[in-house]
Amino acid sequence: MAILVVGSVAFDGIETPSGRVERCLGGAATYFSLAASYFTDVRVIAVVGEDFKEESVFQRRGIDIRGIEHVAGKSFFWRGSYMKNLNEAQTLDTQLNVFEKFSPKIPAEYTDSEFLFLANIDPVLQESVRKQLPNARLVCGDTMNYWINDHRANLLKVLKELDGLLINDGEAKLLAEDGNLVRAAKKILATGPKSLIVKHGEYGATAFFSDRLFPNSENHISLPFRAPALPLSEVVDPTGAGDSFAGGFFGYLAAQKEITPAVFKRAMFYGGVMGSFAVERFGTERMQELSREEIDQRFALFRELSHLD
Amino acid sequence: MAILVVGSVAFDGIETPSGRVERCLGGAATYFSLAASYFTDVRVIAVVGEDFKEESVFQRRGIDIRGIEHVAGKSFFWRGSYMKNLNEAQTLDTQLNVFEKFSPKIPAEYTDSEFLFLANIDPVLQESVRKQLPNARLVCGDTMNYWINDHRANLLKVLKELDGLLINDGEAKLLAEDGNLVRAAKKILATGPKSLIVKHGEYGATAFFSDRLFPNSENHISLPFRAPALPLSEVVDPTGAGDSFAGGFFGYLAAQKEITPAVFKRAMFYGGVMGSFAVERFGTERMQELSREEIDQRFALFRELSHLD
């Protein structure tokens, strides 16, 4: 089933202990859609400026970019450094540019999308897209510290509508105002999302479930579920790892006939798999040139890494 | 098979966000031997002072304490706080007392021990015990920042003799002088230990293997192995979690007929299980009153938490 994703398509400047790139294709919707494209059809809603010439990157992966609006001005630009900490980017420059007045519109040919992913943007825009797609079957989303701290009321409206919220440890604890992850997850699930996927970087990810995700009693998941990450001897560029996780996770879900607990767990593994590929090269390089065979081989590796038998 | 453990038997004063205990039984060899006692016979080498009256705690678990030497003076005492960070104790007081002149001697009735665990003490003492038990079939050990920083040469002699070294992330990176865990593991394995078990606290643990652990080619493990931890809504007292992990891990290994990769992986899970129990109450409270049934139920929970099928 087709996924519609709304979020940033942008340019990044990145420095890490492995090197430096002045300007490369980036943005949450970019990483997400590339990762998800290995599993199912993807449609992108975003805005870019006159400097954007990267259509072919999406087209080569069969991604539908009719929803990327082109306007006068420059594309969103972010520059960050991981020199001090590979686990957390230090933002050196943010130029919103054309993103400042972004008002997402869903093209008529996208309205039958059954799977909606609200990547990390202003929750007011997330809400607007959600409203324009009232029949979406499964809606997941992401957010970040800035929206949690300064736009909490708007964010809470979006959370109520989510089947799954994907954030990292720090964001979960900040959102719940609780330093214990299990209690934080319980509080977050009480605000609306039917599931919470907490990303732990090099330690993998944990999913927490509300009873509302699988309301059929024989399908209940009461325990959380932990997916591993792949121990890597070099993390070349962590940018986009979380968005690639989301793309693998949601892409796998959208490609299945039915979403069961077993399918959800496998989706967590595919999320980790795509995140592990993303960090092997700068920017979206690795996400552009994978094969489904490579992906499934790594999925098998994740199983071997974490399973007893 | 019987395990011999050498390490501290001590008293602790502990404060955590869940409460405060002025003085309770503690020490690495105490937590280790209690945890291991659910799997196999355990013999303890340690030293205590005239204030030690806790024999019955060990005896109720069938632990052989003929190797605990009683000398004039006071027992080792440690006081720590987890008020600022549940993941790392802040040491408020350390009184070595009778431990200052500890010279471990192995009683004649212990010399047939096939499994030796060198808990976190001066590597010179670890080495001395190792030499007194030349026929030990499997030797694992622990250490900490202090020995890594200031007693590196002595520590390296011990590492050469180990089948498994159990330390945490920070200690592994410090020991290898490398901030990447995979590279750090490779460097540490090159110094001698046949396996390295890195404990990640609430994120579980990862084992790394050298080819020397399972030299038979059909038994090789080239991938690391990740065991989960149990997400807990309250960590009452983290003291002894790592030692309890070691006790569960090594206790399970020692109880098996043969040590295969599959057995090693299950031992990692049992380590996590015992660590998860340890933190549920203050001090050794929880470690004293478990049943093997409870332990195996939680083992099943760990499997459900992390396995796809």
Side-chain angles (χ1 to χ4, degrees):
Chain A
M1 296 293 175
I3 292 175
L4 188 156
V5 56
V6 57
S8 57
V9 170
F11 291 104
D12 292 342
I14 303 161
E15 57 173 12
T16 83
S18 302
R20 187 185 166 91
V21 168
E22 284 307 318
R23 185 180 171 89
C24 65
L25 178 61
T30 306
Y31 283 101
F32 177 95
S33 59
L34 287 170
S37 73
Y38 293 93
F39 301 91
T40 192
D41 294 336
V42 187
R43 301 153 169 182
V44 185
I45 305 270
V47 64
V48 294
E50 290 144 341
D51 52 355
F52 186 79
K53 310 273 182 252
E54 273 68 15
E55 284 84 355
S56 63
V57 172
F58 295 85
Q59 285 156 349
R60 276 200 304 270
R61 291 289 325 135
I63 299 166
D64 186 336
I65 53 173
R66 287 176 291 177
I68 298 188
E69 199 182 338
H70 291 252
V71 302
K74 287 164 88 178
S75 298
F76 182 36
F77 179 75
W78 173 83
R79 199 155 65 82
S81 171
Y82 299 89
M83 295 306 281
K84 285 183 189 156
N85 184 354
L86 262 175
N87 295 310
E88 204 182 331
Q90 185 191 0
T91 292
L92 302 175
D93 191 8
T94 304
Q95 300 169 18
L96 284 178
N97 299 330
V98 298
F99 229 82
E100 213 158 350
K101 297 196 173 159
F102 180 39
S103 168
K105 285 168 282 293
I106 298 185
E109 56 268 35
Y110 281 13
T111 50
D112 63 344
S113 314
E114 294 197 4
F115 289 80
L116 171 61
F117 192 81
L118 307 167
N120 169 35
I121 48 170
D122 186 335
V124 170
L125 303 185
Q126 291 179 317
E127 176 78 352
S128 139
V129 171
R130 175 71 188 91
K131 287 232 165 91
Q132 292 176 63
L133 211 69
N135 297 321
R137 224 177 96 201
L138 198 82
V139 186
C140 289
D142 188 2
T143 192
M144 69 183 288
N145 289 358
Y146 174 70
W147 310 114
I148 296 169
N149 279 326
D150 299 345
H151 299 256
R152 187 176 281 259
N154 293 336
L155 178 62
L156 286 173
K157 282 189 217 162
V158 176
L159 297 188
K160 276 196 209 315
E161 303 278 330
L162 292 184
D163 296 292
L165 172 66
L166 288 88
I167 49 182
N168 66 31
D169 278 84
E171 290 158 355
K173 290 172 181 176
L174 183 70
L175 178 56
E177 295 173 323
D178 195 316
N180 175 285
L181 191 61
V182 176
R183 289 196 308 258
K186 209 172 169 185
K187 288 179 187 174
I188 290 168
L189 293 176
T191 69
K194 291 184 187 145
S195 68
L196 171 71
I197 295 95
V198 183
K199 295 166 287 177
H200 314 308
E202 63 174 313
Y203 299 119
T206 307
F208 297 89
F209 307 96
S210 96
D211 294 345
R212 292 165 288 123
L213 186 65
F214 299 108
N216 193 325
S217 64
E218 65 202 41
N219 254 350
H220 260 352
I221 314 188
S222 50
L223 261 191
F225 183 71
R226 290 219 148 159
L230 187 67
L232 291 168
S233 61
E234 190 183 1
V235 171
V236 172
D237 173 15
T239 312
D243 302 313
S244 303
F245 180 103
F249 167 79
F250 207 58
Y252 178 79
L253 281 186
Q256 308 312 305
K257 276 206 191 96
E258 202 191 344
I259 296 170
T260 63
V263 162
F264 195 105
K265 290 174 184 183
R266 282 203 293 278
M268 292 281 295
F269 269 56
Y270 275 109
V273 164
M274 298 312 281
S276 77
F277 281 122
V279 304
E280 289 182 348
R281 302 257 185 89
F282 270 95
T284 60
E285 266 181 56
R286 195 76 175 99
M287 277 300 109
Q288 292 183 34
E289 44 120 74
L290 287 164
S291 68
R292 183 61 195 257
E293 199 188 350
E294 266 180 297
I295 292 168
D296 286 331
Q297 275 169 2
R298 188 160 290 187
F299 181 91
L301 212 66
F302 269 62
R303 184 191 279 267
E304 206 183 325
L305 185 75
S306 59
H307 280 49
L308 289 171
D309 325 287
Chain B
M1 297 294 176
I3 292 175
L4 188 157
V5 55
V6 58
S8 56
V9 170
F11 291 105
D12 291 342
I14 303 161
E15 58 173 11
T16 83
S18 303
R20 187 186 166 92
V21 168
E22 285 307 317
R23 184 180 172 91
C24 64
L25 178 63
T30 305
Y31 283 101
F32 177 96
S33 60
L34 286 170
S37 73
Y38 293 94
F39 300 90
T40 192
D41 293 337
V42 187
R43 301 154 169 182
V44 186
I45 304 270
V47 63
V48 295
E50 289 145 339
D51 52 355
F52 186 79
K53 310 272 182 254
E54 274 67 16
E55 284 84 354
S56 63
V57 171
F58 294 84
Q59 284 156 349
R60 275 200 305 271
R61 291 289 325 136
I63 298 165
D64 186 335
I65 53 173
R66 286 175 292 178
I68 299 188
E69 198 183 340
H70 290 251
V71 302
K74 287 163 87 178
S75 298
F76 182 35
F77 178 76
W78 174 84
R79 199 154 66 83
S81 171
Y82 299 90
M83 296 306 279
K84 284 183 191 156
N85 184 355
L86 262 175
N87 295 310
E88 203 181 332
Q90 184 191 0
T91 291
L92 302 175
D93 191 8
T94 304
Q95 300 168 18
L96 285 178
N97 298 331
V98 297
F99 229 81
E100 213 157 348
K101 297 196 174 161
F102 180 38
S103 168
K105 286 167 281 295
I106 299 185
E109 56 268 38
Y110 281 15
T111 49
D112 62 344
S113 314
E114 293 198 5
F115 290 80
L116 171 62
F117 193 81
L118 307 168
N120 168 36
I121 47 170
D122 186 336
V124 170
L125 302 185
Q126 292 180 317
E127 177 78 352
S128 138
V129 171
R130 176 70 188 92
K131 288 232 165 88
Q132 292 176 63
L133 211 69
N135 297 321
R137 222 176 97 201
L138 198 82
V139 185
C140 289
D142 188 2
T143 191
M144 68 183 289
N145 289 358
Y146 174 70
W147 310 115
I148 296 170
N149 279 325
D150 299 344
H151 298 257
R152 187 175 281 259
N154 293 337
L155 179 61
L156 287 173
K157 281 189 218 162
V158 177
L159 297 188
K160 277 196 210 313
E161 303 277 330
L162 291 184
D163 296 292
L165 172 65
L166 289 88
I167 50 182
N168 66 33
D169 278 83
E171 290 158 355
K173 290 171 182 175
L174 181 72
L175 177 57
E177 295 172 325
D178 194 318
N180 175 284
L181 191 60
V182 176
R183 289 195 308 258
K186 210 171 167 184
K187 288 179 187 174
I188 291 168
L189 292 176
T191 69
K194 292 185 186 144
S195 68
L196 171 71
I197 295 96
V198 183
K199 295 166 286 176
H200 313 307
E202 63 174 312
Y203 300 119
T206 307
F208 298 89
F209 307 97
S210 96
D211 295 345
R212 291 165 287 125
L213 186 65
F214 298 109
N216 191 325
S217 64
E218 65 202 41
N219 254 351
H220 260 351
I221 313 189
S222 50
L223 262 191
F225 183 70
R226 289 217 147 160
L230 187 67
L232 291 167
S233 60
E234 190 183 1
V235 172
V236 172
D237 173 14
T239 313
D243 301 313
S244 303
F245 180 102
F249 167 79
F250 206 59
Y252 179 78
L253 281 186
Q256 308 311 306
K257 275 206 192 96
E258 201 191 344
I259 296 171
T260 63
V263 161
F264 196 106
K265 290 174 182 182
R266 282 202 293 278
M268 292 283 292
F269 269 57
Y270 275 109
V273 163
M274 298 312 281
S276 77
F277 280 124
V279 303
E280 289 182 347
R281 303 255 185 92
F282 270 95
T284 60
E285 268 181 55
R286 195 75 174 99
M287 276 302 109
Q288 293 184 33
E289 44 121 72
L290 287 165
S291 69
R292 184 60 196 255
E293 199 189 351
E294 266 180 297
I295 291 168
D296 286 331
Q297 275 170 3
R298 188 159 290 186
F299 181 90
L301 211 67
F302 269 61
R303 183 191 278 267
E304 206 183 324
L305 185 74
S306 59
H307 279 48
L308 290 170
D309 325 286

